[in-house]
Amino acid sequence: MLFRHPATVILRRGPGRHLPRILFHSSSARWALKRFKLADIGEGITECEVIKWNVKPASPVHTFDPLCEVQSDKASVEITSPFDGIIKDLLVEEGHVAKVGQDLCTIEVADDVAVEEATPPTEQSPSTNSDNDTPLPSTQHTANTCTTEHRPPTKQTRRPHPLDPNVPPEARAPFSPAQDVLATPSVRHYARQNGVDLSSLAPGSGKDGRIEKRDVDAFLQRGPVEPAASQDTAATNSAPSPQAGKDVTVELSRTRLNMWKAMEKSLAIPQFTCSTTLDLTELHNLLPILNAHIPTHYLPPSARPSSASQVISPSAFYAPPDPPDVAPSAHYTRLTYLPILLKTLSRAMLEWPLFRSSLSPDAPSADAAAKPTLTVRPHADISIALSTPTGLYTPTLQAADTYSVYALAAQLRQLAHLGRQVPCALTPREMPRRGGTVSVSNVGGIGAVESAAPVLVPGGGVAIVAIGRARWVWDVERGDGKGERRLKVGVSWSADHRVVEGAEMVAFTEAWRAWVEAPQRLVADSV
C-alpha cells in the first residue's frame, strides 16, 4: 500500500472526512500537476475577483468540493474542484482580480485512473500485503486507523449558483437570502481588514439581508455581542450611525467599475443628439381596447375568465394548440405605452437597415488597413436599459419585430423580475454577447423627465433613445388655430456619428413617428 504524504495529509483532515481514493492504491502511481483555470461563467464576463479560498496548499480536495468564491459584475459564484488530489499552489490571492482563462491554482492528481478503477481499494489489514510491500510500523498504524474509521463523506450543504458550470440545471436552486451571506466585494474586503466575520452580521440592513458597510461599522463600535442581543439590536443597525464631519470612502462595485470603464470608452465615439416629441393621443385612445382583449395566458390565474361561463366551447369540435408557456413573473393585467413604442420602433427599424446594423468587431483587427464594416441583421434587436439593485444592465429583446405587443409586454415584465433578484438572475439568454443595434432607456418611468442626453457606449449599437414621461399639453397648432389637448412624450436620441448622419437620424425618427401617431397601422400589420 502506497501513501502520498500520509502523515501530513491525515493531520490536516478533520474528523469524519476521508481522504481521496487516489491517495491509496496498490500500484505505482504517476502524479501530474493540473492547472485549474477560471472558466467562462457567463457571456460578457472577462474577469472575476477572488473573494475567498476554501482550501489551502498541501490540503487534499475531492471532486465537487468548493475551491473558492469569485465575484463578477453580475453575480457571486462558488467554483468547485474538478479533480481528486492535493492542492499545490494558490496562484491568485484573495481580493485580487483574475482574468477568464487565467490559472487559479494547481492540483496534484494521479494519472493511473484506469488502474485504480480496475483494482479498487479493499478494507484489508496491512498483514495481507506481500512481503515486498510491508510498510513501516507507523504507516501500518495510520493505515489501520484510516480503514477502520472510514465513513462516507458528509455532504456539504451549499447553494449552487445559476451560473455555476459544474452544477446540472435540474440541481440549481433559486436564491434564498437565509442560506448565504450577501455582501459586495468592497464590504468583504473592509470586513477582512478589520477582522469581522460577516456570518455573525447576517442578515444585514441592505436589501434581502445584504450586509452593508454601516453594519460592519456598527459592529466595530458596539463590539461582539451574544446572538440573542444581536437579534434585539437588529432594528437599530438598519440606520447608519451618525458621523458628522467625517468623510467616507466607498469603493466602486464590480458593476459600477464596468460602467466606469464603458463610459471612458464612450469618449472614443463621436456622438450627436437630437430631441423631439411624439403624440400619443391616438395610442392612448386605443389602449383601453387592447387592455380589454389581453390573451388569457398572459393574465394571472386570478384574473382569467372562468371557462364554465362559456355555453359553447371553441374546442368542442377540435382542440386548438396550447398557448405558449408564460412564467408567472411575466403575467400582467394591463398594457403600458412602452411595449407599443417598442413594437412601432421595430417596424421603423425594418424600414431602415442602417438601424439594424452593428459595427463588425473583427474587421479592423484582421487587417490594419482594412476598412470598417457594418453587419446588417435581418430582425430588429433592441436593448433595454434596466436599473437593478446590483447595477445597470442592458438585456436584449431579440427579433422584437416578430413578437406581438402582448408578448413584448410579458418579456419586459420578465426582464424586470430577473433584474430585481439579488444576485442578478439575468442569464446569457437575456444578455447575449451580441446586444441590440438600438438601445432604449425609459427614464420617464422613474421621474417627471421630459428629455435627456443618453450616452452611447461601445457595443451598444448605433443609437440610443431616452423616453421621457408622457404628459397632457395644449397644442396650439391643432383645432383650426384654437388649440387642442394632446398627450405627448419627449424622446432624445444619441447616435454614432461615424456611421449615422444627422439627416438620417431625423428621418428615422419621423418614420417612427408615423407608426406611433397612427397606431391603427398595426392592425394591417397583423398585430
Side-chain angles (χ1 to χ4, degrees):
M1 184 75 70
L2 300 180
F3 296 87
R4 184 70 177 177
H5 308 303
T8 304
V9 169
I10 292 177
L11 290 177
R12 289 177 181 266
R13 300 303 284 184
R17 292 284 290 164
H18 72 292
L19 298 176
R21 286 197 310 121
I22 60 174
L23 301 181
F24 302 91
H25 48 79
S26 57
S27 60
S28 59
R30 293 190 311 158
W31 293 80
L33 285 178
K34 297 288 187 179
R35 292 183 174 270
F36 183 70
K37 301 179 181 294
L38 177 60
D40 188 358
I41 61 176
E43 294 288 345
I45 297 178
T46 60
E47 60 183 16
C48 295
E49 179 183 353
V50 178
I51 302 301
K52 176 184 177 182
W53 279 104
N54 298 319
V55 294
K56 296 181 180 180
S59 62
V61 66
H62 294 265
T63 306
F64 301 117
D65 277 359
L67 285 179
C68 63
E69 182 181 355
V70 298
Q71 173 79 28
S72 69
D73 58 338
K74 297 181 180 180
S76 176
V77 181
E78 191 175 64
I79 298 180
T80 59
S81 173
F83 313 112
D84 282 347
I86 301 175
I87 300 296
K88 297 300 294 182
D89 297 298
L90 304 181
L91 305 180
V92 180
E93 299 180 359
E94 293 183 357
H96 288 200
V97 175
K99 301 288 186 180
V100 172
Q102 180 180 344
D103 296 336
L104 290 179
C105 64
T106 56
I107 306 176
E108 189 176 25
V109 299
D111 283 346
D112 59 339
V113 178
V115 177
E116 177 187 345
E117 291 180 354
T119 59
T122 58
E123 297 187 5
Q124 296 179 356
S125 62
S127 60
T128 59
N129 295 338
S130 60
D131 296 337
N132 298 331
D133 293 339
T134 302
L136 296 175
S138 60
T139 308
Q140 290 181 1
H141 175 73
T142 304
N144 290 334
T145 304
C146 294
T147 304
T148 56
E149 295 182 359
H150 176 74
R151 301 186 184 94
T154 58
K155 181 180 290 186
Q156 183 178 3
T157 59
R158 64 183 183 91
R159 174 181 61 88
H161 192 273
L163 295 181
D164 192 343
N166 296 321
V167 179
E170 59 273 8
R172 299 174 186 174
F175 171 76
S176 175
Q179 296 177 0
D180 288 66
V181 175
L182 293 179
T184 60
S186 59
V187 174
R188 294 178 185 271
H189 179 69
Y190 181 73
R192 284 197 302 268
Q193 287 182 331
N194 293 274
V196 178
D197 184 10
L198 291 180
S199 61
S200 61
L201 304 183
S205 60
K207 182 178 178 61
D208 290 335
R210 180 182 293 273
I211 298 177
E212 306 288 351
K213 183 176 180 294
R214 59 175 177 261
D215 299 325
V216 181
D217 292 335
F219 177 85
L220 294 175
Q221 290 181 2
R222 71 175 184 269
V225 295
E226 296 297 329
S230 62
Q231 295 178 2
D232 296 337
T233 59
T236 61
N237 297 336
S238 59
S241 58
Q243 296 182 3
K246 292 185 179 181
D247 295 338
V248 179
T249 302
V250 180
E251 181 181 351
L252 293 180
S253 63
R254 298 290 304 167
T255 306
R256 293 190 179 274
L257 179 59
N258 284 345
M259 185 173 63
W260 173 296
K261 296 177 181 178
M263 291 299 105
E264 287 185 331
K265 293 179 181 179
S266 68
L267 299 177
I269 302 178
Q271 306 180 31
F272 74 94
T273 62
C274 64
S275 301
T276 186
T277 58
L278 301 178
D279 194 329
L280 304 182
T281 308
E282 294 297 328
L283 182 58
H284 174 76
N285 297 332
L286 182 63
L287 200 60
I289 301 176
L290 298 179
N291 281 326
H293 296 85
I294 297 177
T296 55
H297 56 280
Y298 292 117
L299 296 173
S302 58
R304 295 176 183 177
S306 175
S307 59
S309 59
Q310 296 180 350
V311 179
I312 301 178
S313 174
S315 59
F317 170 70
Y318 184 78
D322 295 332
D325 294 333
V326 179
S329 55
H331 292 160
Y332 59 92
T333 56
R334 69 179 186 91
L335 288 173
T336 61
Y337 299 116
L338 182 58
I340 307 178
L341 291 175
L342 294 178
K343 179 64 179 181
T344 54
L345 179 62
S346 68
R347 301 308 303 174
M349 292 173 64
L350 291 182
E351 298 177 5
W352 282 81
L354 176 61
F355 293 91
R356 286 186 283 114
S357 305
S358 59
L359 293 173
S360 303
D362 54 346
S365 61
D367 186 1
K371 296 181 180 179
T373 60
L374 290 174
T375 301
V376 181
R377 305 181 187 180
H379 296 287
D381 297 336
I382 303 176
S383 295
I384 305 297
L386 184 62
S387 180
T388 71
T390 55
L392 179 64
Y393 297 95
T394 53
T396 302
L397 298 174
Q398 302 184 67
D401 56 290
T402 62
Y403 293 96
S404 66
V405 172
Y406 299 113
L408 290 176
Q411 290 193 43
L412 291 174
R413 292 275 298 183
Q414 178 69 2
L415 292 178
H417 169 75
L418 296 177
R420 285 194 298 264
Q421 306 303 310
V422 180
C424 183
L426 293 171
T427 65
R429 179 181 178 182
E430 294 82 24
M431 299 186 62
R433 188 180 299 272
R434 190 178 76 163
T437 59
V438 172
S439 300
V440 176
S441 176
N442 186 25
V443 294
I446 302 175
V449 178
E450 294 185 3
S451 63
V455 179
L456 188 64
V457 299
V462 296
I464 180 175
V465 60
I467 304 176
R469 176 167 293 185
R471 61 181 60 194
W472 290 96
V473 298
W474 191 260
D475 191 351
V476 297
E477 297 181 358
R478 289 180 174 269
D480 298 331
K482 299 179 180 179
E484 190 174 320
R485 185 171 178 264
R486 308 293 292 182
L487 180 65
K488 294 193 176 185
V489 63
V491 294
S492 304
W493 284 96
S494 293
D496 189 341
H497 213 346
R498 296 174 299 179
V499 294
V500 180
E501 299 179 5
E504 292 172 330
M505 184 77 260
V506 174
F508 173 74
T509 305
E510 292 302 313
W512 185 24
R513 180 196 307 276
W515 284 96
V516 173
E517 298 186 357
Q520 297 84 355
R521 296 176 60 187
L522 295 176
V523 178
D525 200 48
S526 301
V527 175

